[in-house]
Amino acid sequence: MNTRVVIVDDHKMFRDGLRGLINAEPGMEVVGEAVDGGEAIDVIRRLAPDVVVMDISMPGMNGIEAMRHLIRDNAQIKVIMLSMYSSKPLVQSVMAAGASGYVLKGSDFSELAAAIRCACSREKP
């Protein structure tokens, strides 16, 4: 059974690229997408994916705020946060807020694929 992924990012070209890479990865499939945190909450509630890959910086509701809403609804949700920013305080605060992983947008796709697999292979406390 494939790992079901929802992508949340406000940049269409980035979502398109991620969708292609994730769908080409054995055992993974993109089942939905959203352009901001508010839409993400609706899409994720409806589709119940295994993993959410979400940008931090989006207009309207940002990724951190959306993640908090999602975790409030379902403490077992797995969220991999994406960002251009590598500051240690930001990464620590995102992880403390409940993210299952944090991947820099400049990373190789293999790091995101590994983060998705890792998130699905363990239970959150």
Side-chain angles (χ1 to χ4, degrees):
M1 183 164 130
N2 285 343
T3 299
R4 302 172 72 246
V5 180
V6 165
I7 300 169
V8 184
D9 194 287
D10 57 320
H11 295 99
K12 182 176 178 2
M13 189 182 313
F14 188 78
R15 285 192 322 272
D16 290 348
L18 266 186
R19 181 183 340 102
L21 290 167
I22 290 170
N23 284 338
E25 190 70 16
M28 293 183 195
E29 71 175 311
V30 174
V31 296
E33 297 178 21
V35 300
D36 62 36
E39 183 182 9
I41 291 169
D42 294 336
V43 168
I44 292 160
R45 284 178 178 159
R46 184 170 38 85
L47 297 176
D50 301 309
V51 177
V52 178
V53 175
M54 185 163 6
D55 187 15
I56 288 178
S57 299
M58 297 179 286
M61 184 185 296
N62 69 38
I64 298 169
E65 191 176 339
M67 179 182 65
R68 287 184 177 127
H69 283 278
L70 293 167
I71 290 171
R72 227 177 289 135
D73 287 350
N74 176 3
Q76 299 306 310
I77 190 101
K78 309 289 194 276
V79 181
I80 307 295
M81 297 303 285
L82 295 173
S83 181
M84 302 179 319
Y85 305 106
S86 61
S87 80
K88 189 173 181 176
L90 176 61
V91 174
Q92 290 172 332
S93 69
V94 168
M95 296 304 291
S100 297
Y102 189 101
V103 177
L104 294 173
K105 283 189 167 184
S107 298
D108 189 78
F109 174 71
S110 64
E111 291 183 39
L112 178 59
I116 292 170
R117 284 194 171 81
C118 183
C120 288
S121 70
R122 67 174 191 264
E123 291 297 314
K124 284 182 75 174

